[in-house]
Amino acid sequence: MDFRDTPEQAAWRAEVREFLEKERPKIDPDANPMELARERGGVLKEWRDKLAKKGWIAPAWPKEYGGAGLGVMEQFIMNEEFAEARAPQVGGMGVSMIGPTLIIHGNEEQKREHLGAILRGEVQWCQGYSEPGAGSDLASLQTRAVRDGDDFIINGQKIWTSGAHNADWMFMLARTDPDAPKHRGITYFLVDMKSPGITVRPLINMAGGHQFNEVFFEDVRVPVRNVVGEINRGWYIGTTTLDFERSSIGNAVGQRQTLEYYLRFWKEHRGQPVTASASAAFASEFADRWIEAATAKMLSYRVISIQAAGRVPNHEASIAKLFNTELSQRIARTAMKLLGTSALLTGREAPMKGRAPGSYLQTVSSTIAGGTSEIQRNIIATRGLGLPRG
């Protein structure tokens, strides 16, 4: 593997870095979360406008749809530099998921209605996939959509719906042919969250945060024009991706930055009661975490190298996802050991303003969201190692 940039890549990296040095909002990433939220609210619109002028809100989208038309290596360099600079991300699921799907499968009316609004930040999207009985085995979903003239009537439930309480629209899968094999008979819908019959209930996580929700559909009418692609072919549309950079380099960089924060805290409070439990054994454990963070970065480099060669990373992306999420849990446990009994304290007056116990609780779900560790290991075993299915 050649870690050096080509001259063209070096020039592009320099351009991104120069832009970030001049334009990046000066937000303290280690600030209290509530203070950070208020601070971000005042500067993100200006930041979004600057990115939009360069097509950098959706850098992988074609230029005719407001993107920058970047290739995977250009995306990788941009994502790496944004992560290193801790630059705020904008766009959310609208940019990363529904936008690319509409570019490929949407009709012109759907593109006109939604793509511009996504780039302007006028709407927020959520994903209606998982159900109480259909998580990892998504094709077992049971939410029904029945045709009634120019509408479909939807009944059922979705769960673990990130951001549904703030979303304006949902892209979702519902079963339209119950007699078809389970991967067929599913249709892809765009649903206005203000539609009568939709109820959003919060799911509060163990850290006290409200990100997830359960969403109930009771005779919700969705116009047929809001179907994306062919009726009963939604499963294949739901798996659509553009040629996105899939290395998770932002996560890998973030792991190292988290360790750097803990290391600074350790140095500043060494010998004080708050870190009295951090013995020589802790130092060895911290070194292990540092090596693992470097390993996570190498896994990201491996994925982007495969993509840059024109191949599709499959089990390699699963390895990177599995390693990153389990590493986040190990880092959180190490931080708890650093603080000892002080790690039980939360709130603004606690050590690190409660960051360590907050991370410890938040990372519990890391190995579930986005594909469980068990599913990732199955992919690695069958597609990577060629082992038979159980």
Side-chain angles (χ1 to χ4, degrees), residues 39 91 117 192 194 216 234 249 297 323:
E39 188 178 0
D192 187 337
K194 297 184 294 295
F216 297 87
I249 185 63
K297 187 174 183 179
F323 190 86

Side-chain angles (χ1 to χ4, degrees), residues 318-338:
S318 289
I319 292 171
K321 193 276 181 187
L322 173 69
F323 190 86
N324 261 298
T325 53
E326 295 195 346
L327 173 57
S328 70
Q329 294 177 344
R330 292 194 294 272
I331 290 175
R333 290 196 295 268
T334 297
M336 296 291 280
K337 291 179 183 178
L338 168 63

Side-chain angles (χ1 to χ4, degrees), residues 36-75:
L36 184 59
R38 288 193 293 269
E39 188 178 0
R40 285 169 65 96
V43 299
L44 281 185
K45 184 182 185 304
E46 181 181 355
W47 174 239
R48 172 185 285 276
D49 291 342
K50 292 176 181 178
L51 294 177
K53 290 179 181 178
K54 301 179 74 67
W56 287 6
I57 291 179
W61 289 17
K63 291 182 179 180
E64 59 264 36
Y65 295 117
L70 299 186
V72 291
M73 187 56 75
E74 293 168 303
Q75 293 174 56

Side-chain angles (χ1 to χ4, degrees), residues 4-264:
R4 297 170 297 182
D5 289 336
T6 66
E8 294 78 13
Q9 292 166 356
W12 168 241
R13 189 183 297 276
E15 178 184 342
V16 174
R17 195 172 288 176
E18 180 181 5
F19 171 80
L20 290 170
E21 289 174 355
K22 292 181 178 179
E23 306 292 351
R24 179 182 65 84
K26 302 303 185 285
I27 296 176
D28 178 9
D30 298 323
N32 175 274
M34 293 301 294
E35 296 172 354
L36 184 59
R38 288 193 293 269
E39 188 178 0
R40 285 169 65 96
V43 299
L44 281 185
K45 184 182 185 304
E46 181 181 355
W47 174 239
R48 172 185 285 276
D49 291 342
K50 292 176 181 178
L51 294 177
K53 290 179 181 178
K54 301 179 74 67
W56 287 6
I57 291 179
W61 289 17
K63 291 182 179 180
E64 59 264 36
Y65 295 117
L70 299 186
V72 291
M73 187 56 75
E74 293 168 303
Q75 293 174 56
F76 175 84
I77 291 171
M78 181 177 173
N79 290 339
E80 185 175 28
E81 292 300 322
F82 269 56
E84 290 287 357
R86 300 189 180 188
Q89 297 291 324
V90 298
M93 289 186 181
V95 166
S96 64
M97 302 185 75
I98 183 59
T101 303
L102 292 179
I103 288 172
I104 293 178
H105 296 288
N107 57 44
E108 289 306 311
E109 180 183 353
Q110 291 168 343
K111 292 175 184 178
R112 285 195 303 271
E113 180 179 1
H114 297 294
L115 294 182
I118 289 171
L119 293 181
R120 292 189 297 271
E122 296 172 352
V123 295
Q124 298 295 320
W125 286 81
C126 63
Q127 178 191 60
Y129 280 13
S130 295
E131 298 182 4
S136 298
D137 184 17
L138 179 59
S140 295
L141 63 87
Q142 295 300 311
T143 295
R144 290 287 309 277
V146 178
R147 182 75 178 261
D148 182 33
D150 292 333
D151 294 335
F152 277 92
I153 300 177
I154 298 180
N155 285 278
Q157 180 188 356
K158 298 294 180 177
I159 199 167
W160 310 123
T161 313
S162 300
H165 55 301
N166 294 321
D168 304 289
W169 284 80
M170 171 189 284
F171 56 96
M172 69 174 293
L173 297 176
R175 190 164 298 283
T176 44
D177 185 352
D179 298 322
K182 68 178 187 178
H183 285 88
R184 301 181 183 179
I186 294 173
T187 300
Y188 195 109
F189 292 94
L190 307 178
V191 181
D192 187 337
M193 292 295 285
K194 297 184 294 295
S195 302
I198 294 179
T199 302
V200 179
R201 296 180 184 172
L203 293 172
I204 307 302
N205 65 26
M206 65 174 62
H210 178 196
Q211 178 186 8
F212 300 123
N213 305 269
E214 51 185 347
V215 183
F216 297 87
F217 300 84
E218 299 178 61
D219 294 330
V220 177
R221 285 190 170 271
V222 177
V224 173
R225 68 175 182 274
N226 284 7
V227 170
V228 179
E230 296 181 37
I231 294 172
N232 294 330
R233 297 284 293 176
W235 176 262
Y236 310 99
I237 296 170
T239 59
T240 291
T241 58
L242 280 180
D243 193 16
F244 276 131
E245 184 265 298
R246 298 175 57 196
S247 72
S248 299
I249 185 63
N251 290 332
V253 171
Q255 306 282 27
R256 193 207 70 233
Q257 290 172 336
T258 297
L259 287 171
E260 289 173 344
Y261 172 81
Y262 292 145
L263 181 60
R264 288 195 303 272

